[in-house]
Amino acid sequence: MESADLQQKIVSLCKRRGFVFPGSEIYGGLANTYDFGPLGVLLLRNIIDSWWNFFVTSRQNIYGLDTAILMSPKVWEAAGHTSSFNDVLVDCKECKNRIGADKLIEAFLKKKNKFEKVEGRPVKELEKIIETEKIPCPACGKFNWTKPRKFNLLFETNIGILSTDQSLAYLRGEIAQGMFVNFKNVLDTMRPKLPFGIAQQGKAFRNEITKGNFIFRVLEFSLAEFEYFFDPKKDNSEDLFEYWQGEMKKWIMSLGIPEKKLSWREHTDDERSHYSKRTIDLDYEFGFGKEELFGLAYRTDFDLKNHMEKSKIDLRYTDPGTGEKFIPHVIEPTFGINRVFLTLLTEAYSENNERFILKLHKDIAPYKAAVFPLLRNKPEIVKEAKEVYQMLLGAGISVVWDDRGNIGKRYYAQDEIGTPYCVTIDHDTLEDRTVTLRDRDTTKQERVKIENLLKKL
Ligand code: GAP
């Protein structure tokens, strides 16, 4: 299947089956915003739970937080986001198309088979490439651009009701700062020893102007990340880098993503964020091309040092052995959850003779099983099926009931949303207390005793 087709099919499946809806749709939509529907929210929660279990619950030295979205504006000044968290944009003077200068150049070079990453390069340099390559507007084909200009990605808002006493605040552009400003609180309450991590998951907001590719690039998105603090005199940052690279890959592969679709890409000096000494991205082959899924950055002591300077609060760690006080360094694995969502759908989508099957990993699928009474007008069968349904619900299994249409249609409907198992209750069930268990991927059916069903699932 052509990549563009695949992307389009995923978008339409998401809308049709209640995974993702365009934001504010009844008012004509709001660009680059999306709402997760009843099935989308189940998948999203399963992804987040899996992440939290893998990186937080199962590790003794990673502590969780859930910090406020609104923070003092001083946080963003100290962290360098008010000055350095920018996108460079150009406007077409002919058709008013606004586009990221880096994306414009990269797409143009890719078509000419001389692709290179130019993200993060100085504005002057981007301007020069657009000029020398005479890059036309992809919307109208003309070559008549404004000069490239920097736009800050932080969303501004105001605190206070009366305009006279309103004060400026920002929606958080990354969730990491919540972890840095609570570093001392975690030290004081949990008494952790280096190396240790502070993790959280929540929404981040960025005033992205460029085209989003569905939920890949949006104005607000779910992010999960942790700051892994260490003593640079005792631990080698390169070794830690390698360790976390392995763990990041292990997690996404545990959700069914094959290694061959993943690749690491080192950031160039120009491209790296203002806080990072080294950044490497884990890229995935999306329907629209190979793009960043996760990032791993060596933020050194940049953030804690700046917060300590600006807040005048001592954010140093005291070595329990020597009593030496110092600011730890930090390595940050970061995971865009929206992108994981899209990756899992891209990987799972398959077609077989007009049938759509979402081969989602069984642990992550919105519903683990669907329960059907073979005939909806036979009260004994419906009653028995309801009991099986209640039994699975009671065991904490995410299960759905369906008694519409014929059995074949019900199977297709469940395949399309990735339900791994369908359980059908029929006449034989009333005689021998067995049900038909049908597997999504093999379509094989077997008779299973009701008492063994839970174990089987
Ligand atoms: N604290 C580090 C940080 O925020 P980042 O590379 O700017 O790093 C982290 O963003 C991750 O968030 C990315 O790897 C990507 O998966 C995701 N991401 C970034 N911008 C996004 C957007 N506009 N929409 C959806 N996901 C985004």
Side-chain angles (χ1 to χ4, degrees):
M1 197 185 315
E2 282 289 313
S3 294
D5 274 4
L6 172 63
Q7 176 73 359
Q8 207 35 55
K9 285 182 170 176
I10 290 171
V11 174
S12 99
L13 172 78
C14 281
K15 170 86 164 80
R16 190 169 71 247
R17 298 307 311 270
F19 282 90
V20 182
F21 306 126
S24 313
E25 197 180 9
I26 62 166
Y27 289 103
L30 178 67
N32 294 336
T33 66
Y34 290 91
D35 298 331
F36 287 92
L39 293 191
V41 80
L42 292 173
L43 179 57
L44 197 65
R45 275 173 193 245
N46 289 344
I47 296 171
I48 293 168
D49 287 349
S50 162
W51 184 88
W52 195 267
N53 282 333
F54 189 93
F55 289 106
V56 187
T57 314
S58 65
R59 294 168 205 263
Q60 247 188 353
N61 65 345
I62 308 245
Y63 301 88
L65 287 183
D66 189 350
T67 69
I69 285 172
L70 294 173
M71 306 174 86
S72 163
K74 289 179 186 157
V75 170
W76 302 107
E77 287 158 25
H81 283 66
T82 45
S83 53
S84 306
F85 195 46
N86 300 315
D87 253 1
V88 180
L89 302 172
V90 285
D91 291 285
C92 172
K93 289 190 204 160
E94 305 288 334
C95 73
K96 311 289 172 231
N97 179 27
R98 175 168 288 170
I99 187 166
D102 51 353
K103 293 282 165 284
L104 173 74
I105 296 171
E106 284 172 11
F108 179 81
L109 294 180
K110 195 169 172 186
K111 268 201 203 138
K112 300 238 147 194
N113 280 332
K114 25 183 212 181
F115 179 73
E116 61 178 302
K117 273 265 170 198
V118 295
E119 194 180 337
R121 299 240 184 121
V123 178
K124 280 272 162 234
E125 202 176 312
L126 298 177
E127 186 179 351
K128 199 164 154 216
I129 302 175
I130 296 173
E131 281 293 325
T132 45
E133 298 279 349
K134 291 265 171 301
I135 302 180
C137 170
C140 71
K142 305 245 170 66
F143 175 71
N144 191 5
W145 297 108
T146 58
K147 282 193 178 304
R149 285 165 300 160
K150 276 188 177 177
F151 283 87
N152 193 274
L153 290 173
L154 286 179
F155 268 111
E156 292 183 359
T157 185
N158 293 293
I159 298 177
I161 299 160
L162 297 175
S163 56
T164 44
D165 52 39
Q166 276 182 349
S167 60
L168 176 69
Y170 303 99
L171 302 187
R172 63 183 177 191
E174 60 166 358
I175 60 174
Q177 295 307 323
M179 268 103 72
F180 293 122
V181 301
N182 279 286
F183 179 71
K184 185 169 157 37
N185 284 332
V186 175
L187 280 188
D188 292 348
T189 51
M190 308 311 287
R191 308 261 161 222
K193 288 208 177 75
L194 287 178
F196 70 90
I198 309 183
Q200 76 167 325
Q201 181 279 318
K203 281 214 170 172
F205 302 80
R206 292 183 191 176
N207 202 352
E208 305 271 9
I209 320 252
T210 52
K211 194 172 161 278
N213 277 325
F214 192 38
I215 55 169
F216 178 83
R217 190 179 305 283
V218 277
L219 302 180
E220 56 172 283
F221 54 98
S222 175
L223 196 53
E225 60 190 13
F226 55 93
E227 309 305 320
Y228 195 72
F229 298 97
F230 64 98
D231 178 351
K233 295 189 290 314
K234 290 192 181 143
D235 287 309
N236 180 298
S237 65
E238 288 300 308
D239 293 345
L240 290 176
F241 231 78
E242 206 174 300
Y243 172 74
W244 286 116
Q245 269 181 270
E247 293 299 284
M248 293 167 86
K249 214 165 166 186
K250 210 192 275 174
W251 177 60
I252 195 67
M253 285 171 63
S254 78
L255 302 183
I257 304 302
E259 192 164 17
K260 63 175 192 294
K261 294 272 195 75
L262 300 164
S263 53
W264 291 101
R265 194 182 66 78
E266 189 89 31
H267 277 213
T268 60
D269 289 349
D270 289 333
E271 184 187 1
R272 251 190 337 263
S273 301
H274 60 279
Y275 49 71
S276 179
K277 191 169 170 191
R278 183 182 173 202
T279 300
I280 176 162
D281 287 345
L282 186 62
D283 289 350
Y284 170 76
E285 300 263 0
F286 287 94
F288 46 86
K290 199 193 262 188
E291 287 286 349
E292 173 186 354
L293 173 59
F294 303 153
L296 178 64
Y298 179 22
R299 294 179 80 130
T300 65
D301 57 357
F302 176 88
D303 299 270
L304 285 182
K305 202 164 76 193
N306 285 338
H307 286 307
M308 186 160 147
E309 257 169 49
K310 185 135 185 122
S311 67
K312 310 273 184 277
I313 301 288
D314 189 355
L315 298 179
R316 289 174 302 167
Y317 169 87
T318 308
D319 186 300
T322 62
E324 184 204 355
K325 283 178 180 286
F326 63 94
I327 302 179
H329 278 212
V330 74
I331 278 188
E332 175 192 71
T334 180
F335 306 76
I337 299 295
N338 286 46
R339 293 189 185 179
V340 177
F341 188 102
L342 189 54
T343 299
L344 296 182
L345 290 182
T346 307
E347 203 54 49
Y349 188 87
S350 68
E351 287 180 13
N352 185 1
N353 301 329
E354 306 288 300
R355 263 182 64 210
F356 306 119
I357 313 160
L358 214 46
K359 293 191 172 172
L360 286 169
H361 190 286
K362 292 176 180 168
D363 292 344
I364 218 97
Y367 299 119
K368 183 155 256 167
V371 174
F372 313 146
L374 182 66
L375 301 164
R376 62 194 291 187
N377 55 1
K378 289 272 179 239
E380 323 81 82
I381 293 184
V382 173
K383 181 170 172 282
E384 192 65 50
K386 280 257 148 89
E387 278 173 21
V388 171
Y389 173 70
Q390 286 300 339
M391 175 187 81
L392 298 180
L393 268 188
I397 292 182
S398 174
V399 57
V400 61
W401 171 268
D402 192 2
D403 59 7
R404 295 163 303 172
N406 65 39
I407 200 84
K409 281 201 180 131
R410 293 183 209 161
Y411 282 152
Y412 290 171
Q414 294 304 322
D415 286 347
E416 206 183 22
I417 60 170
T419 309
Y421 298 106
C422 292
V423 178
T424 307
I425 285 81
D426 55 20
H427 290 105
D428 289 346
T429 313
L430 306 175
E431 304 294 319
D432 61 7
R433 313 250 334 125
T434 62
V435 294
T436 302
L437 183 68
R438 186 250 194 195
D439 184 293
R440 176 195 69 200
D441 299 339
T442 61
T443 70
K444 289 228 169 73
Q445 302 183 7
E446 58 175 318
R447 292 298 289 190
V448 175
K449 280 209 167 297
I450 293 178
E451 67 205 54
N452 295 334
L453 192 57
L454 270 179
K455 207 159 63 184
K456 198 87 187 161
L457 289 180

